[in-house]
């Protein structure tokens, strides 16, 4: 009988220790205004609930398996890496050079052909 009474007391104490449902209803409007505060009539207004209490309430809601919809949307991650422009340009130049080196035999053949054709035209012009 005593253990049943202790379980009842523990159950009510743990359920009522952090009544997040009541807090969520109470601060619903404040939480919807933002994480840190909001602008109203040209003046910055902090939230009616402190950041510590907001974080605790968020943790309780998430621990209970509910959704927390008051966090702002996260930005996309940066895809452009930081670094020096010189290094980036040098890498692009190396890639371009490697590509041109693959084409080099054909470029040389075209050059030799043009040079030979020019030489032939000059010889034809000299004989006429």
């Amino acid at each position: 009988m005593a253990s049943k009474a202790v379980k009842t007391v523990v159950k009510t104490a743990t359920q009522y220790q952090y009544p997040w449902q009541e807090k969520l209803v109470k601060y619903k409007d404040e939480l919807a205004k933002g994480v840190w505060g909001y602008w109203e009539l040209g003046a910055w207004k902090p939230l009616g609930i402190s950041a510590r209490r907001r974080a605790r309430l968020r943790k309780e809601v998430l621990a209970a398996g509910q959704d927390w919809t008051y966090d702002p949307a996260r930005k996309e991650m940066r895809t452009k890496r930081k670094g020096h422009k010189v290094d980036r340009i040098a890498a692009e130049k190396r890639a371009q050079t490697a590509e041109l080196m693959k084409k080099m035999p054909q470029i040389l053949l075209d050059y030799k052909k043009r040079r030979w054709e020019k030489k032939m035209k000059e010889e034809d012009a000299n004989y006429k």
Side-chain angles (χ1 to χ4, degrees), residues 74-90:
R74 300 195 98 184
K75 294 180 182 178
E76 279 187 36
M77 289 187 67
R78 287 178 55 117
T79 55
K80 185 177 176 183
R81 293 187 177 156
K82 290 186 175 183
H84 297 283
K85 184 178 178 183
V86 174
D87 298 334
R88 203 169 46 250
I89 290 174

Side-chain angles (χ1 to χ4, degrees), residues 34-84:
V35 178
W36 300 279
Y38 55 97
W39 287 98
E40 184 178 293
L41 300 175
W44 178 257
K45 301 268 184 171
L47 292 181
I49 183 172
S50 70
R52 180 173 56 88
R53 289 194 176 138
R54 180 186 186 281
R56 189 174 197 180
L57 179 60
R58 179 180 182 272
K59 188 176 176 182
E60 291 168 13
V61 170
L62 293 175
Q66 302 295 321
D67 289 332
W68 181 259
T69 59
Y70 303 108
D71 283 337
R74 300 195 98 184
K75 294 180 182 178
E76 279 187 36
M77 289 187 67
R78 287 178 55 117
T79 55
K80 185 177 176 183
R81 293 187 177 156
K82 290 186 175 183
H84 297 283

Side-chain angles (χ1 to χ4, degrees), residues 2 13 15 19 35 51 72 84 86 89 106 109-110 117 122:
Q15 283 180 346
V35 178
H84 297 283
V86 174
I89 290 174
Q106 185 60 41
L109 287 174
D110 292 343
E117 288 173 353
E122 286 176 2

